[in-house]
Each structure stands twice: as C-alpha cells, then as structure tokens.
Amino acid sequence: RLKKWKSSVSTQAKMPTCNFVPEKYESYPYEHMQKIREQNISPTLRMYYKKPLLLHQGHMQWLFDYEGRRYLDLFAGIVTVSVGHCHPKVTVAAQKQLARLWHTTNIYMHPSIHEYAEKLTCLLPDPLKVVYLTNSGSEANDLAMFMARLYTRNFDIISLRGGYHGGSPYTLGLTSVGLYKHSVANGFGCSTTMLPDVFRGPWGGSHCRDSPVQTVRKCSCSEGVCHANDQYIEQFKDTLNTSVPKTIAGFIAEPIQGVNGAVQYPRSFLKEAYQLVRERGGICISDEVQTGFGRTGSHFWGFETHGVVPDIVTLAKGIGNGFPMAAVVTTKDIASSLAQNLHFNTFGGNPLACVVGAAVLDAIEEDGLQKNSEEVGTYMLLELAKLRDKFEVVGDVRGKGLMIGVEMVTDKDSRHPLPAEEINQIWEDCKDMGVLIGKGGLYSQTFRIKPPMCINKKDVDFAVEVFHTALQRHMERAP
C-alpha cells in the first residue's frame, strides 16, 4: 500500500495524480542505510536535505521514497534523466540487450555501436560526423581538451568563469567554480575569462538573452545593438591579449551554464567569441552535457540557439537517461589527430550503452519531448516570472526550455545573494511539499529547475504553487 502523502508544510497545492504504484521497499531500514553511508561511502559524496531522502523507485517525472511518498522530480538526477525515470521504451531495450550481449570492447564490431553512431551523428550538422564514445562528461571533456591540443599543436585553452566541465584532474583546469577546486596543482595551460552574465555581471540589460524572461535591469539599446555584449567581448579580447600566447588550442563553453545556475550570455556573444578563437588558430568546443538532446526546446543542441557550429561537441547526462555513457563528436580531421597513436576506452560504446542511447533518441522523437520542453518550459518560465515580480527575494528568472534558474537575492537593487540558511529553508519546504529542485551558482544562491522532459503543465502549476507557498513562508519568517 502507498503511504498517503502528508506534507509537514500547509499548502493549497494539490499534487497531480499518478496511477503508477511502486513496489514495496524491502531493503535495509533507513537507520542502517545511514550507518553504511557514514562508514563505507566516501564523505565527498554529499547528500541533499537535513534528513536525506532514501529513494526507492522512479517512474517518468516521479520518484518514490522507501515509505512510498511521491515526489515531483524537477532536478532529474542533476539534469540527467532526459526522457523520464525508467521510461518503458528504454527499459525494454536495455532488458533485451542484457540477455543478448553486454560487452566485447571495440576490438570487434557489434551492431549497436554502428547503429547508434549513425543515428546520433545524423542529428548533428556537417562536419560533426565522427563520434568517440566514453562513460562520463568529465571523460568526454578531458578527451576534447586532449584532441584540441593534438590537432592544433597548441596548448592553451580558455573557459568562462562559472563554467563546470568536470572534476577530473585534467578538466578541473577548465572548471571555474570554487567549490570544486582542490588544493593540488591543476589547470596548467587553462585560462578563464569574464563570464558574460547579464544579471550578476557588470553589464546587462532588458533585451540581452535568448529567453522568454529578461532581467529586471534596464538599458537603452536599440534593436540589433547590445552594449553589454560589446563590453563582454572586449573582456574576451583582453584575455586573448594578456593571458595566452598568440596561438591557442581552443575555447570551451556551455551554451547555458548548468552548475552555475542556468546562466545565459548575450545573444551574439558565442558567435563573436568563436570567431576570435579561430583567428588565433584555436578550435571551439561546445559542452552540451546539460543543454543537449532537446532540453532547450527550440533546438536539439544548445549551440544551435547561438547560431554557431563548434569543432567539437561533448555529450553526457541526458544521452543515456541515467545510464553511464557520454560522447565526443567532432570532424574527421580532428578525430584523425587522435588516431596517430593508440587511445583506448574499455567500456565506451559498449553494446548495452549504445542500445540505451538509441532508445533514448527514439523516445525523444516519439514522445515529442523537444517540443514539450519548449512549450512546458516557456509556460514555467513565465509563471515563475510572476513570482519574481511579487517577491523581492526572487532576483532573476532565466533559461530556455526546461533549463531554468531562479536566482535568490536579498533585494533586487543590490543583487546580493540570499544567505544560505534562508535558501536552504525554502528548499527544504519545497521538498516537504513534494517537489525536488537543485541548487547552483557560485554562492549556491540559484535554484536549478531541470526536470525530466516529460513533465506537463499540471506538474508546473503544482510546482509553482509549492514554490509560492515556500516563498510566503520565508517572508513570514523574515524580521
């Protein structure tokens, strides 16, 4: 039997119905799980919430805990569950392949890697037609850096401050979020440049970004002119002129920053930055780990929203709906530079991963999830913008499709981050009312809303009402 949901917070929000009934939980008691966590699992793997959730089963946009409580998942395993938890089509495909062939490595041919490579590269523009499959986003970005250096015979790579590109020793040089930095040498040959953040940065206005919701900042720019963009490009030029040699290996950026809280750049920034990088002999890498596979709604890939074609694209997370797989897609020439010597990945492109990846692509198309991301995401952004207009602590609502950030501030004029203890209470209240959201930003001041792409408008109405209730409770607590 399902345990009837009882929220510890009073709310008018009514959770949408779900006909799925989870299995009975039969593993260790909660307290024993906590003990194992403390004694046998690395403490670097931190948990969310004062009383961490013990989740037991998932179905599409829903998660169920060990007591049968249901939660609307608006974080999707950190932007990873693209088509829905345990999506039936993907599950059946994986089950069939499990009974057929798990692993051979790529020293032999097997059908699924070839079928998947063709299917995936058909979705990318020329000349991005050669794929190297890996197991994680860090691994993919690591390889992209390596290929950029091999191909250009240059060494220096530029990334944006606030960008997250992985936690491996190699990619930590690209990652520019202080919480992830360890006090060991890293980042040799990596330079960061100013983040063109039109809400928190020194320049920004009311027309800058490709989003249904603009900042509350004002500007006098006429159509086709963006003063903020011009200033951020000048900063990029300054980095090129002061921090790197005359020739560079490349530049990497997320089309919308993920870990930093769905930060968007001025519309023309990436196009102009790509041109400057190529003038220096560098190649351009688009980190699509969070923005790919239709999540931005208007396009299948985040880079398409900027009107650019990168030289290398890195993919992970949503590529496998939670299955550990990732990819680097590039041109034949760049791929050939890696083939001069051996480079081998035991599990990358294994039969099971490729079958899962192909089923995910089928589900995105058959379920209309790119269109759903655009329609439901736009609806959610506009509903959240109403809360921004109502509450002083909601400083910014931004994003595109189902990649959304809500930045919390002490007040809109100063844009100072809301203190962590206040953020956390709002976040805990949302969880207690049945909605799971993420956190991000340099000060953990931004709520990250990046759900499975199958959510609907009823789910949005519920989530927004829950968030509204949590904000009202916050105002009642405030002195």
Side-chain angles (χ1 to χ4, degrees):
R1 283 170 59 83
L2 271 177
K3 183 167 182 175
K4 187 168 175 61
W5 175 268
K6 189 172 180 184
S7 171
S8 60
V9 180
S10 176
T11 177
Q12 299 298 310
K14 192 171 187 304
M15 185 178 278
T17 57
C18 172
N19 295 325
F20 180 81
V21 179
E23 299 166 8
K24 183 183 176 185
Y25 176 80
E26 293 180 339
S27 190
Y28 298 138
Y30 185 91
E31 292 72 20
H32 188 54
M33 290 292 192
Q34 279 188 307
K35 190 175 180 183
I36 294 170
R37 187 87 185 196
E38 290 165 9
Q39 294 180 352
N40 305 117
I41 294 179
S42 172
T44 193
L45 298 175
R46 300 179 187 178
M47 290 186 287
Y48 268 13
Y49 304 117
K50 289 175 186 173
K51 184 184 179 185
L53 292 177
L54 175 53
L55 297 171
H56 162 53
Q57 196 163 1
H59 173 72
M60 302 308 282
Q61 64 268 50
W62 303 103
L63 286 168
F64 300 84
D65 74 6
Y66 71 110
E67 293 181 304
R69 290 191 182 91
R70 178 162 57 102
Y71 298 87
L72 178 62
D73 182 10
L74 295 188
F75 202 27
I78 315 184
V79 209
T80 298
V81 178
S82 48
V83 299
H85 291 282
C86 303
H87 188 288
K89 183 180 187 71
V90 182
T91 300
V92 167
Q95 287 169 338
K96 283 183 179 177
Q97 189 60 36
L98 273 168
R100 187 182 297 129
L101 181 68
W102 286 30
H103 179 73
T104 63
T105 82
N106 295 314
I107 55 175
Y108 311 113
M109 289 200 292
H110 58 83
S112 56
I113 189 172
H114 302 87
E115 292 167 2
Y116 182 62
E118 182 180 57
K119 194 171 225 170
L120 178 65
T121 55
C122 277
L123 295 166
L124 286 136
D126 285 324
L128 297 168
K129 296 297 177 185
V130 183
V131 60
Y132 190 112
L133 292 160
T134 65
N135 308 289
S136 74
S138 292
E139 211 177 341
N141 282 331
D142 199 287
L143 182 58
M145 291 175 76
F146 191 47
M147 292 168 85
R149 286 168 168 166
L150 281 172
Y151 177 72
T152 63
R153 299 180 182 269
N154 299 326
F155 193 69
D156 289 73
I157 298 179
I158 297 171
S159 63
L160 296 174
R161 289 176 202 138
Y164 179 82
H165 302 287
S168 66
Y170 211 29
T171 57
L172 266 181
L174 301 178
T175 289
S176 188
V177 179
L179 288 170
Y180 291 89
K181 294 287 193 181
H182 293 265
S183 54
V184 295
N186 70 74
F188 181 48
C190 298
S191 297
T192 62
T193 190
M194 182 183 279
L195 169 62
D197 180 348
V198 297
F199 172 71
R200 181 160 293 284
W203 304 286
S206 45
H207 312 288
C208 299
R209 62 191 179 202
D210 178 19
S211 173
V213 183
Q214 298 294 330
T215 71
V216 293
R217 299 173 78 170
K218 302 301 178 190
C219 67
S220 56
C221 298
S222 57
E223 192 173 341
V225 174
C226 183
H227 174 72
N229 182 69
D230 294 343
Q231 294 299 317
Y232 288 120
I233 286 294
E234 285 304 312
Q235 290 295 316
F236 195 84
K237 288 177 180 175
D238 187 62
T239 299
L240 288 170
N241 291 331
T242 60
S243 302
V244 293
K246 289 181 180 179
T247 55
I248 61 173
F251 166 61
I252 186 169
E254 304 157 89
I256 299 173
Q257 285 191 337
V259 168
N260 199 21
V263 173
Q264 293 179 279
Y265 329 126
R267 285 185 178 89
S268 301
F269 179 82
L270 275 190
K271 185 175 276 190
E272 293 183 41
Y274 273 28
Q275 185 177 340
L276 292 168
V277 168
R278 285 166 173 157
E279 287 170 2
R280 294 288 189 117
I283 63 175
C284 300
I285 305 166
S286 184
D287 180 334
E288 297 280 341
V289 170
Q290 296 191 30
T291 53
F293 299 94
R295 180 164 289 279
T296 63
S298 63
H299 297 79
F300 202 78
W301 308 112
F303 67 78
E304 294 175 300
T305 69
H306 294 271
V308 297
V309 177
D311 305 292
I312 299 178
V313 176
T314 56
L315 311 169
K317 290 188 181 283
I319 192 173
N321 200 48
F323 193 90
M325 64 182 298
V328 178
V329 185
T330 188
T331 69
K332 195 165 187 177
D333 285 348
I334 294 172
S336 295
S337 64
L338 188 65
Q340 294 166 14
N341 289 293
L342 279 178
H343 189 279
F344 190 72
N345 190 307
T346 300
F347 296 110
N350 72 78
L352 193 52
C354 291
V355 163
V356 167
V360 167
L361 292 179
D362 290 343
I364 292 170
E365 183 178 4
E366 291 168 16
D367 296 356
L369 295 183
Q370 182 183 330
K371 184 180 180 186
N372 193 64
S373 290
E374 181 169 35
E375 292 178 354
V376 176
T378 298
Y379 178 70
M380 191 173 203
L381 279 159
L382 294 173
E383 289 299 301
L384 289 167
K386 294 175 186 175
L387 298 185
R388 181 196 65 182
D389 297 340
K390 184 173 181 178
F391 293 94
E392 185 68 15
V393 292
V394 181
D396 195 33
V397 170
R398 56 180 175 256
K400 189 171 172 63
L402 287 172
M403 181 125 183
I404 298 170
V406 180
E407 184 159 347
M408 307 299 291
V409 295
T410 55
D411 61 275
K412 288 183 174 70
D413 287 337
S414 73
R415 302 195 295 276
H416 289 151
L418 195 66
E421 60 271 19
E422 296 182 46
I423 291 267
N424 288 343
Q425 189 58 63
I426 296 168
W427 184 58
E428 292 274 357
D429 283 350
C430 287
K431 181 264 292 180
D432 289 342
M433 289 182 275
V435 175
L436 306 181
I437 54 179
K439 288 190 301 180
L442 300 183
Y443 314 100
S444 297
Q445 82 281 20
T446 303
F447 291 121
R448 297 170 66 194
I449 299 171
K450 296 148 186 193
M453 296 188 293
C454 58
I455 70 160
N456 58 51
K457 289 183 181 179
K458 286 185 179 177
D459 301 327
V460 170
D461 290 337
F462 169 65
V464 171
E465 184 59 40
V466 162
F467 190 51
H468 188 197
T469 302
L471 290 170
Q472 284 180 318
R473 281 174 57 85
H474 169 76
M475 299 311 293
E476 289 163 8
R477 284 191 300 266

